[in-house]
Amino acid sequence: MRTKVYFSYSCIICLLFFSSVTIAQIKIKVACVGNSITAGWGLPNGADSYPSVLQKYLGTEKYEVRNFGASGRVMSKSTEPGKSYWGTSEYQNALKFEPDIVIIKLGTNDAEPYVWNEYKGQFKATYIDMVNSFKNLSTKPQIFA
């Protein structure tokens, strides 16, 4: 009888130990969403993009920062085909990443007169839609826009 009790306690202790090790290994996932500024377009080294620098500052022990930047993209859903961030694989991959933190850096290209003059009335609502698309994830991420 005593052997069974010790065995049970040993199993419980092992389970608690391995559970805490697994929990300790979970990293906070940060998704950097945006256009060429996020992607690092024009930089001589991709390691110089702000998501890469952010990863260096935060370290790799507790954080995993991913770059979901797509050069030349706009927030607007209605622009010419291939211009909207909404239709990119980067956007879909950012959602699938299920981040804990999202940094959205979109709008620079929307400020171009040929985009802004036509779509400025939709910008705020579209930005809110983008924020909500991440906010509705099961991870309920913290969002910085």
Side-chain angles (χ1 to χ4, degrees):
M1 176 77 164
R2 210 175 252 209
T3 306
K4 287 183 180 179
V5 171
Y6 288 126
F7 179 75
S8 295
Y9 285 132
S10 297
C11 286
I12 291 170
I13 289 169
C14 285
L15 285 172
L16 289 173
F17 173 76
F18 287 115
S19 295
S20 66
V21 169
T22 303
I23 290 169
Q25 291 177 347
I26 295 174
K27 293 183 180 184
I28 296 170
K29 297 191 289 185
V30 180
C32 298
V33 171
N35 54 30
S36 57
I37 294 169
T38 302
W41 185 86
L43 294 174
N45 181 353
D48 293 333
S49 68
Y50 93 76
S52 296
V53 173
L54 181 61
Q55 180 71 75
K56 287 177 195 170
Y57 281 127
L58 294 175
T60 57
E61 188 177 318
K62 295 181 181 178
Y63 292 90
E64 179 182 359
V65 179
R66 290 222 192 139
N67 187 336
F68 296 101
S71 294
R73 299 302 189 261
V74 297
M75 177 61 80
S76 174
K77 294 178 184 178
S78 306
T79 61
E80 62 189 78
K83 280 289 196 185
S84 177
Y85 187 82
W86 291 87
T88 65
S89 60
E90 288 85 355
Y91 172 61
Q92 295 305 317
N93 290 334
L95 291 171
K96 289 176 192 170
F97 182 51
E98 296 186 333
D100 301 297
I101 299 171
V102 179
I103 302 169
I104 302 174
K105 214 312 287 133
L106 282 164
T108 310
N109 295 326
D110 294 87
E112 290 290 336
Y114 73 94
V115 178
W116 189 249
N117 291 339
E118 191 167 346
Y119 302 108
K120 65 184 170 194
Q122 302 168 17
F123 185 79
K124 183 178 177 181
T126 305
Y127 218 109
I128 290 169
D129 287 347
M130 174 70 67
V131 168
N132 286 336
S133 71
F134 286 101
K135 205 173 178 182
N136 293 330
L137 292 172
S138 63
T139 56
K140 301 295 181 205
Q142 191 174 15
I143 300 168
F144 297 90

